[in-house]
């Protein structure tokens, strides 16, 4: 819709501004065209110049509108992350309290300390995400203002538009230079820090025998289809959950990683696979404290069971059939970081089923792939002095 404002006239000659000087980038009258100030300059009718530059500015507007949509999408993820942090904190607090009920006489001080640590992390991470949200909302508001102003400029008359054109382009270009927001790695509650080996840590102070799990699952890495037990020691596939797309989460396969990557000493853990018809377990090489969503399958060492057959494969290599004479209810993985070996063992017979040679330099995270509702469980280790497993 054309503007109702009166058509501006030349400040020098009072004539209508019918031409656009390409050299000075401004509307001029016919007298200006013949003046010395515009000698040998290039001129275009204002309607043609306005059409050309409106087309250019419309292209810029499309870019900034797309940027605005992206910012809004990321802001939605930020808000979902903030909500999920609160849900995690509430659920974690409930689990902590249930654990401490069994040990109330000895553990009041320890319980209060752990709740305080959880609350502090919740506040810190919520504050960090809230600050991100505030900054992003400010950027969104600024982008909205730029869009509104640019759309207004495009509705002006040709001459008015051309007079404001340079300012409009500069405003749009500055908006396009605003850095795009990024998802926040490590934004979620570090649940393993609060719940992982909780009873074992407390036992160190109480000097009593407790159950210890050599591997703790990290729910922040779990595929949205997976359900992790409250104790973070079993996983099963159930239903799609509405979870934030945090960088640590595996999105491609129904898998989850252990909370700790191993790069030194020797480590063993048993996995109870039960009667599950399809499963795979192993280790995945990933950067320390930065398991990315693009988990590289070429860095995966695993043993799998499917269609009644046991296989072992290392990355992109072809699977090797394993000579297993009976169905395994439990499988043991022994990782020797010093010797660069991962050994798969039948814990019942102590038979060596397969040995991988580790060629990756990154820490190795225990890997679990749960394809159905049959849970994979990390078997607890009974200890009296220090956690250990038979070789």
């Amino acid at each position: 819709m054309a503007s109702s404002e009166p058509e501006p006239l030349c400040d020098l000659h009072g004539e209508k501004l019918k031409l656009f000087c390409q050299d000075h980038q401004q509307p001029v009258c016919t007298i200006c065209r013949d003046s010395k100030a515009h000698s040998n300059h290039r001129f275009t009718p204002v309607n043609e110049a306005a059409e050309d530059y409106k087309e250019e500015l419309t292209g810029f507007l499309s870019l900034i509108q797309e940027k605005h949509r992206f910012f809004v999408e990321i802001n939605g993820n930020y808000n979902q992350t903030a909500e999920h942090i609160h849900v995690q904190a509430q659920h974690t607090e409930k689990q902590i309290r249930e654990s401490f009920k069994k040990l109330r006489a000895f553990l009041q001080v320890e319980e209060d300390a752990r709740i305080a640590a959880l609350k502090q992390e919740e506040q810190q991470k919520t504050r960090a995400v809230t600050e991100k949200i505030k900054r992003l909302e400010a950027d969104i508001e600024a982008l909205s203002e730029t869009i509104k102003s640019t759309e207004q400029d495009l509705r002006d008359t040709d001459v008015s538009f051309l007079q404001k054109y340079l300012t409009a382009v500069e405003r749009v270009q500055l908006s396009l230079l605003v850095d795009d927001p990024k998802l926040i790695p490590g934004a979620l509650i570090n649940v393993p820090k609060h719940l992982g080996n909780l009873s074992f840590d407390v036992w160190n102070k109480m000097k009593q025998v407790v159950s210890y799990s050599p591997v703790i699952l990290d729910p922040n890495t779990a595929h949205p289809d997976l359900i992790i037990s409250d104790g973070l020691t079993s996983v099963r596939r159930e239903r799609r959950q509405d979870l934030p797309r945090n960088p640590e989460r595996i999105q491609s396969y129904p898998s989850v990683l252990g909370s700790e990557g191993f790069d030194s000493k020797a480590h063993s853990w048993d996995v109870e696979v039960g009667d599950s018809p399809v499963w795979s377990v192993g280790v995945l090489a990933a950067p320390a404290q930065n398991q990315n969503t693009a988990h590289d399958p070429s860095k995966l060492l695993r043993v799998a069971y499917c269609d009644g057959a046991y296989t072992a494969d290392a990355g992109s290599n072809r699977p090797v059939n394993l000579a297993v004479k009976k169905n395994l209810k439990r499988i043991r993985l022994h990782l020797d970081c010093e010797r660069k070996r991962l050994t798969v063992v039948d814990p019942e017979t102590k038979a060596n089923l397969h040995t991988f040679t580790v060629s990756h330099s990154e820490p190795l995270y225990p890997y679990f792939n749960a394809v159905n509702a049959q849970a994979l469980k990390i078997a607890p280790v009974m200890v009296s002095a220090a956690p250990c497993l038979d070789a």
Side-chain angles (χ1 to χ4, degrees):
M1 179 177 177
S3 174
S4 60
E5 296 180 5
E7 187 123 346
L9 301 176
C10 178
D11 293 336
L12 296 176
H13 308 108
E15 297 289 329
K16 288 186 177 182
L17 302 169
K18 296 183 177 181
L19 301 172
F20 182 74
C21 177
Q22 297 285 359
D23 297 84
H24 282 170
Q25 290 285 293
Q26 63 181 19
V28 297
C29 69
T30 54
I31 299 176
C32 291
R33 176 193 61 190
D34 299 329
S35 67
K36 291 181 179 180
H38 294 274
S39 177
N40 297 322
H41 285 188
R42 296 164 299 156
F43 298 92
T44 306
V46 291
N47 62 327
E48 293 182 11
E51 183 178 352
D52 291 340
Y53 288 119
K54 281 184 178 181
E55 183 177 351
E56 179 184 350
L57 191 57
T58 299
F60 286 135
L61 178 61
S62 297
L63 291 175
I64 201 168
Q65 286 173 331
E66 182 62 31
K67 191 180 187 75
H68 179 269
R69 284 191 291 269
F70 177 67
F71 276 46
V72 170
E73 179 182 346
I74 296 298
N75 187 51
N77 185 275
Y78 283 169
N79 280 287
Q80 186 184 21
T81 298
E83 293 174 3
H84 192 63
I85 288 173
H86 184 60
V87 170
Q88 280 189 307
Q90 285 186 319
H91 187 59
T92 302
E93 179 177 342
K94 177 182 178 182
Q95 292 171 255
I96 292 174
R97 293 191 183 280
E98 289 176 351
S99 296
F100 274 93
K101 283 180 181 179
K102 302 174 183 178
L103 308 167
R104 184 63 62 190
F106 308 94
L107 306 175
Q108 193 63 56
V109 173
E110 180 73 5
E111 179 184 6
D112 291 341
R114 287 181 175 268
I115 294 298
L118 172 63
K119 290 295 187 181
Q120 182 180 12
E121 182 177 2
E122 179 190 9
Q123 292 171 0
Q124 290 174 343
K125 292 191 172 180
T126 300
R127 182 164 56 249
V129 174
T130 300
E131 290 173 357
K132 288 278 189 180
I133 292 172
K134 288 181 179 178
R135 287 196 292 269
L136 184 56
E137 287 178 344
D139 288 341
I140 291 173
E141 183 177 356
L143 291 172
S144 297
E145 287 298 321
T146 299
I147 291 172
K148 181 178 179 182
S149 299
T150 304
E151 290 173 340
Q152 179 60 46
D153 290 342
L154 291 170
R155 289 194 292 270
D156 285 344
T157 63
D158 292 346
V159 173
S160 295
F161 165 78
L162 292 171
Q163 287 177 322
K164 301 175 183 178
Y165 168 70
L166 291 179
T167 301
V169 170
E170 181 181 1
R171 180 175 61 240
V172 169
Q173 289 176 337
L174 287 175
S175 295
L176 290 173
L177 291 175
V178 177
D179 291 337
D180 289 348
K182 297 180 176 61
L183 297 178
I184 309 171
L188 302 181
I189 294 293
N190 187 347
V191 179
K193 181 181 72 174
H194 299 285
L195 295 179
N197 293 327
L198 178 60
S199 297
F200 178 78
D201 290 341
V202 175
W203 166 82
N204 277 328
K205 298 181 179 181
M206 299 177 63
K207 303 301 181 183
Q208 293 183 3
V209 176
V210 296
S211 175
Y212 169 78
S213 177
V215 170
I216 294 297
L217 302 179
D218 185 353
N220 293 343
T221 69
H223 185 279
D225 286 355
L226 298 183
I227 302 296
I228 308 300
S229 67
D230 287 346
L232 309 181
T233 57
S234 73
V235 55
R236 72 181 191 279
R237 190 172 187 177
E238 186 173 296
R239 63 184 185 281
R240 189 96 180 167
Q241 301 171 86
D242 187 17
L243 300 173
R245 290 182 64 89
N246 54 297
E248 300 87 353
R249 193 173 306 284
I250 298 175
Q251 299 288 346
S252 302
Y253 307 98
S255 305
V256 62
L257 300 182
S259 62
E260 181 182 0
F262 302 130
D263 58 5
S264 62
K265 303 181 180 179
H267 307 269
S268 293
W269 59 97
D270 285 10
V271 183
E272 296 177 1
V273 297
D275 296 319
S276 176
V278 183
W279 52 262
S280 66
V281 295
V283 296
L284 177 70
Q289 300 178 350
N290 187 30
Q291 305 99 316
N292 193 276
T293 49
H295 299 289
D296 188 352
S298 69
K299 296 186 177 182
L300 177 62
L301 309 176
R302 66 174 181 173
V303 59
Y305 178 69
C306 182
D307 295 332
Y310 293 88
T311 59
D313 63 89
S316 58
N317 295 339
R318 295 185 62 182
V320 176
N321 291 322
L322 303 183
V324 179
K325 297 180 181 180
K326 62 182 181 62
N327 285 344
L328 300 174
K329 301 294 184 180
R330 177 185 291 209
I331 194 164
R332 176 172 300 167
L333 292 98
H334 181 77
L335 176 63
D336 190 331
C337 296
E338 309 305 325
R339 296 183 179 182
K340 300 289 186 180
R341 293 191 310 193
L342 173 67
T343 306
V344 182
V345 177
D346 177 353
E348 183 177 337
T349 64
K350 303 298 188 296
N352 184 345
L353 304 178
H354 189 76
T355 298
F356 295 95
T357 298
V358 178
S359 60
H360 308 294
S361 58
E362 301 98 329
L364 297 167
Y365 289 82
Y367 170 90
F368 305 83
N369 181 269
V371 183
N372 50 57
Q374 177 71 46
L376 301 181
K377 301 178 181 179
I378 303 164
V381 179
M382 299 306 296
V383 297
S384 59
C388 64
L389 275 172
D390 293 337

